[in-house]
Amino acid sequence: MKLLGKIFLILTLFCLNLYSQTDDFIRGVDISFTPQIEDLGGKYKLNGVVKDLLDILKEKGVNYIRLRIWHTPKDGYCGLEKTIQFAKRIKEKGFKFLLDFHYSDSWADPEKQTKPAAWSNLSFESLKDSVYSYTKFVLESLRANNVLPEMVQIGNEVTNGMLWPDGKIYDPTLNQSIQWVKFAQLLQAGINAVKDVDSSNIKIMIHIDRGGDNNGAVYFFNKLKEQKINFDVIGLSFYPWWHGTLEQLKYNLNDLSTRYNKDIIVVETAYPWTLNYQIDNHGNIVGQNTKLLQGFPASLKGQKDFLIILKKIIKETKNNKGKGFFYWEPAYISVPPIGSSWENLTLFGFTNSNLEAEALSSIDVFLPDVDYATINVKMRINTSTLNDTLKPNGIVQLRGEVKGKSSSLLPSGERITWDNLSELIFKNIDGDNWEYTFQMYEGDTLEYSIWTGHTKTKYTYLSGGWEGPVIPFDNSNKNYRLFIAGKNDTILPVQYYNSSKSKIYQYFSPFKQNNDSIGIMFRVNLAHLMSKGIFDPAKNGPVVVRGDSIESEGILSWNRNKLILKREEPSVANNSFWSGIVYFPKYLIQKGRKIHYKFYIDNAPFNGWENSIPDRYFYFPSEDSTLAWKFFNDKNLITDIKEDKSLPDDIKLYQNYPNPFNSSTTIKYELNKDSYVSLCIYNSLGELVKVLDNKFIKAGSYSILWDGRDDNGIYVPSGIYFLNLVANEKRLVNKLILLK
């Protein structure tokens, strides 16, 4: 038994070591306010039990803590002494530690980089020495207390420089070339101090706020490269209401990772779980008028979904350079007298009279990713019961939500939502049959409805594209469909679109179940005949299917009306659809037999037949089937519900004209949806020459003239240039030739 115990211990230690080696993705938080909040009586709860905040964070998967440090803060919080005290607690709990030097007595960010009061009158040379000495002193003090950080930021959001005015950049009153040199020297002083304390173990980060601004980020880090600033990690802030969309962040991360081959961390981010606020005489930074991401409401689910997608984007950054993220101040709860302007962006609920805040469910996103068992789910939709002219290039979309481990993001990578952002768009297999295969975690529950459109922006005839209410398979009192993932790959029974306003069962079928026969549904649209007055339902008809009696074993006839179709009400274009089902004897007709037929109108002002086409036919199936709807006589006409052709199906970048060009050239592009657009000219060395567009643009067609000048107004020389369009997560490139 002793031997078995030793073996078990060895295996346990091995597994723990393996876990710690592979679990290196940073799931960090900045909780610099916490010591002050705790001193004022603030407490944190998990599952109703008051606990040390660090214990809660550890239990929920946080592995890295970020703390800011100010030079001489008025109340001592975020100063060196308080930082050492908190760093000891952090290290004792097993967290890694990022130290954020603000080089100020208070907040430093893109809008303000105020020198510490003690440095206000120093010469530039003395200022550099102070940056070096102060940085080194802080780190040596931390090392003396065995709490040396694993990573250090030299400055906080230094997009516009630091220690103004000496290190200020982008100031039109100052010489920019000189200012970049001075800024770089201040950065280098801090970097040198870190290296002199520990050159091998402490990672050095440079942090700016341009999470979704690729042009701004590239310009900044190109400038640092020119100044030969050597650092390890690119740090970015990404608050969507300030810094762009998730698509822009994704593009920026991938581009920066390729350009600079450096690790990248989203070192500040957050998202609201509500837009309400606690009355604490502090207005919230994010409120009712803040523009949030489409599809991510200010709710617990919206907050959780945002973090799940953010984590996925970072993990999928090219070259494995996305190393993690830090959530800014998730525990910044409201306690008097300091209150909180961030309370609705925390990961803890509002405090009560006991100053206790409960952890929100969204904090579970910080748990390490687990390889939960997944299954493949093939879902099949039939739109023969959709009373509209949906063509094979139409849209059949699943909208809904998953409850369980995956939230809105399925393990196969698609996002499912209740709006048009849902990525579960079915593929047409044939006729009215659509399929899509996706993955789900075992035990998760999918609640969903079917939405249809002629395009993504033009919905079908009834109810804005939404199908009618459905009774789920478990007979629960819901209005939507339901699937619960089991342990095996699943092919769901065919589900028919509900065009009625009445509730139908989830797996209803228009066919009667009969072991001796196979049902075939025929549908024909007569909108074009009705619009021209060739067919009047009140005078003409019935509408029937006629066909070969021998092939159909007498079910159809070329001479008699054996299958009379019924008018679908309501249906598109003044009830223009007629349909019907006929049952063929299963054991008399061999699978695959070719059966010919045509649509016919009795008492028509013409001979009643489809004259301009040969006989229609189908091959006899092995189960009940629907035939793709047809226009009578197969005329290539559409109904009064037209497809939306005003927008392209995707972004398009046309070749400039003329090309080659001498003095100027016209550039045209199209957007299929509203998007943030970057349209730039680069030379053959990959250097940015001209920014033509860099803004949020509505969907549509655009034309812009380039006169051959760069961003400084200087005419560029003859040569090959590249036009780069980025929109909707896609990049298109065209070659331009300038000849003088």
Side-chain angles (χ1 to χ4, degrees), residues 15-25 27 63 315 368:
C15 291
L16 288 172
N17 186 52
L18 179 64
Y19 176 82
S20 64
Q21 289 175 350
T22 57
D23 184 30
D24 57 357
F25 184 80
R27 303 179 303 279
N63 57 8
K315 284 192 170 187

Side-chain angles (χ1 to χ4, degrees), residues 243-291:
H243 301 138
T245 65
L246 286 163
E247 290 78 12
Q248 290 167 334
L249 173 69
K250 180 178 180 178
Y251 176 79
N252 197 23
L253 294 179
N254 286 324
D255 184 68
L256 297 179
S257 69
T258 303
R259 286 178 184 269
Y260 305 112
N261 195 34
K262 291 185 182 294
D263 291 345
I264 306 175
I265 296 172
V266 177
V267 75
E268 287 188 28
T269 193
Y271 206 79
W273 57 273
T274 181
L275 294 179
N276 296 324
Y277 60 93
Q278 181 172 309
I279 300 175
D280 57 3
N281 297 319
H282 285 75
N284 290 343
I285 291 174
V286 173
Q288 296 289 345
N289 296 324
T290 304
K291 185 177 181 180

Side-chain angles (χ1 to χ4, degrees), residues 111-129:
E111 301 300 322
K112 54 185 175 300
Q113 294 280 335
T114 307
K115 293 179 191 176
W119 298 357
S120 58
N121 297 317
L122 295 179
S123 67
F124 182 69
E125 291 301 318
S126 296
L127 184 62
K128 287 194 299 182
D129 290 343

Side-chain angles (χ1 to χ4, degrees), residues 512-519 555 583-589 620 622 624:
K512 298 176 182 178
Q513 300 303 309
N514 191 329
N515 293 331
D516 296 327
S517 63
I518 288 178
I555 299 300
Y583 294 89
F584 294 83
K586 183 175 183 180
Y587 299 109
L588 293 178
I589 304 177
F620 194 69
S622 58
D624 298 337

Side-chain angles (χ1 to χ4, degrees), residues 6 36 176 191 224 305 323 428 473 695:
K6 289 182 179 179
Q36 187 175 9
Q176 287 303 291
I191 291 170
L224 285 195
D305 287 349
K323 297 303 180 183
N428 184 263
F473 75 89
K695 59 188 177 183

